[in-house]
Amino acid sequence: MHVYDAKELYTQMLAGMQEAGKQQTVQAMWNLGLLEVLEEDKADEVKSVLARRVASYYQTFHDFQPMSPETRKLMDHIQAASEKSPSLKAALNAPPK
């Protein structure tokens, strides 16, 4: 392997690790925020936020074709969950922003 190729590969791996770290940081911040709201007994607010995020995903990706089997399974699960979750049903029926 040439030195240039090794440096390029190292740079790409480092960038990938940094991106993964950023994603984990954002996820931890999100989870902490939800935990704090739940600790304040504001479960309805958490339900609303989560429902809007799921609905946003659904509205963004439900028309993409071809749809991967994993995405199709998630879309079906979201539809089924909306029958049991008034928050999710309301968010799915709200116009996209």
Side-chain angles (χ1 to χ4, degrees), residues 37 64 79 83:
V37 171
F64 277 34
Q79 289 172 343
E83 296 303 318

Side-chain angles (χ1 to χ4, degrees), residues 57 61-62 64 67-76:
Y57 174 88
F61 293 103
H62 80 282
F64 277 34
M67 189 178 292
S68 72
E70 295 84 11
T71 302
R72 169 54 43 213
K73 187 175 181 179
L74 179 55
M75 293 296 176
D76 292 343

Side-chain angles (χ1 to χ4, degrees), residues 34-94:
L34 289 177
L35 179 61
E36 289 173 340
V37 171
L38 285 171
E39 293 292 346
E40 295 172 3
D41 291 327
K42 296 181 180 177
D44 288 340
E45 289 180 32
V46 173
K47 288 178 190 178
S48 177
V49 169
L50 291 173
R52 287 193 312 265
R53 288 181 58 111
V54 170
S56 176
Y57 174 88
Y58 183 89
Q59 292 164 343
T60 300
F61 293 103
H62 80 282
D63 288 334
F64 277 34
Q65 297 298 329
M67 189 178 292
S68 72
E70 295 84 11
T71 302
R72 169 54 43 213
K73 187 175 181 179
L74 179 55
M75 293 296 176
D76 292 343
H77 190 129
I78 291 169
Q79 289 172 343
S82 73
E83 296 303 318
K84 299 174 187 169
S85 170
S87 299
L88 181 54
K89 186 173 223 147
L92 286 172
N93 291 329

